[in-house]
Amino acid sequence: MIIIMLGAQGTGKGTVAGILSQKTGWPQISTGDIFRKNISEGTELGIEANKYIANGNLVPDEITVPMVKARLEEDDAKDGAILDGFPRTKEQAEKLDSMLAEMGRKVDLVINLITPREEVITRILNRRVCSNQQCKATYNLTMHPPKVEGICDKCGAKLVQREDDSNEESIKTRLNIYDEKTKPLVDFYQAKGVVTTQEVSERINRLGQDVAEDVLKMLKNN
Ligand code: AMP
């Protein structure tokens, strides 16, 4: 079972993917997390990727696509995987289709998260992440604050703001790239009949947790 998380930055893709991964045992494959881990470890891939990430631009496919392919070929992904942050362009979606076809697999479900834009910007500015790469828990200073300011509830490590979240220019660039390059993927996958669109919003009091529960019910009934 291959599941793809679609949705702008700050809609809660990571939260939904994390819960689904916990409940199904399929790994959450977040390209952003893989890049950040490489950046913190100072690998060659990390140094190269950071040239793009720091400004909110997309990392070139020559780096991103083989990285995803290698991750999907790992043993823990043989029964299923939840892709979070990939594909982000039509080219990546087509490359994903061909790599999955070679493996005798396909995209089974696309979860498209939608949130009003003003809410998304506030959420990104209020997002704090655990600096421990093994933990990576995410908090929101207003909606889901840590018990002790600046400290991760789960592992006690320091909470930090992602470099690309602290910079309004970078946030705007990322949201523009989403609208222009990633949003058209909703139609791409809708044509294949695999999309479920889910609103995540304080406006209707529906959080990532609620979406994850509904998707788990859908998976059970299929
Ligand atoms: P995210 O954590 O998904 O917001 O990703 C953080 C940053 O990593 C993005 O702003 C991009 O610079 C880069 N990135 C993540 N996934 C991809 C992808 N599929 N293609 C290109 N760049 C990516």
Side-chain angles (χ1 to χ4, degrees):
M1 166 73 74
I2 300 287
I3 299 180
I4 291 175
M5 301 300 312
L6 275 188
Q9 291 73 8
T11 52
K13 297 189 294 294
T15 305
V16 176
I19 300 171
L20 293 179
S21 170
Q22 230 175 23
K23 300 278 182 190
T24 59
W26 302 325
Q28 171 186 2
I29 301 180
S30 157
T31 39
D33 282 348
I34 302 176
F35 285 134
R36 280 184 288 276
K37 183 163 186 286
N38 276 276
I39 292 168
S40 73
E41 289 170 355
T43 68
E44 219 171 284
L45 187 148
I47 293 167
E48 189 54 29
N50 201 33
K51 293 180 190 162
Y52 303 90
I53 295 175
N55 301 322
N57 290 312
L58 293 182
V59 178
D61 283 2
E62 301 81 72
I63 300 175
T64 310
V65 174
M67 183 179 90
V68 172
K69 184 167 190 283
R71 183 64 189 88
L72 278 171
E73 283 168 349
E74 282 182 40
D75 211 39
D76 65 341
K78 67 179 189 313
D79 293 333
I82 301 153
L83 290 174
D84 164 15
F86 183 93
R88 259 175 151 93
T89 62
K90 189 153 174 272
E91 292 72 33
Q92 288 185 356
E94 284 163 351
K95 287 173 186 164
L96 176 65
D97 274 353
S98 27
M99 83 170 82
L100 288 175
E102 273 172 34
M103 300 162 93
R105 307 171 82 173
K106 64 177 174 46
V107 172
D108 299 287
L109 179 66
V110 174
I111 304 169
N112 175 38
L113 301 182
I114 50 169
T115 303
R117 187 52 52 102
E118 322 77 69
E119 224 181 282
V120 148
I121 294 176
T122 317
R123 277 202 217 168
I124 299 174
L125 289 168
N126 282 323
R127 174 156 65 186
R128 296 294 180 274
V129 293
C130 179
S131 55
N132 170 3
Q133 291 296 319
Q134 308 308 321
C135 174
K136 299 180 305 191
T138 303
Y139 297 83
N140 182 289
L141 295 184
T142 53
M143 281 159 60
H144 169 44
K147 292 195 182 92
V148 179
E149 197 187 324
I151 302 292
C152 178
D153 294 349
K154 291 190 182 148
C155 75
K158 210 173 122 195
L159 297 182
V160 291
Q161 187 172 35
R162 278 170 46 173
E163 191 187 345
D164 56 350
D165 280 355
S166 60
N167 170 344
E168 284 213 33
E169 270 317 299
S170 154
I171 295 176
K172 276 191 205 140
T173 304
R174 285 151 64 207
L175 289 170
N176 287 340
I177 292 178
Y178 176 78
D179 286 341
E180 190 192 321
K181 300 200 166 151
T182 312
K183 213 171 170 188
L185 290 185
V186 178
D187 288 341
F188 177 87
Y189 286 116
Q190 217 131 33
K192 297 177 190 279
V194 291
V195 178
T196 172
T197 293
Q198 303 275 341
E199 180 164 357
V200 182
S201 168
E202 282 178 79
R203 191 177 68 88
I204 55 163
N205 196 20
R206 185 166 158 79
L207 302 179
Q209 171 87 35
D210 304 305
V211 171
E213 277 167 21
D214 286 353
V215 170
L216 286 165
K217 277 185 213 144
M218 273 169 49
L219 292 176
K220 234 183 228 167
N221 294 335
N222 265 339

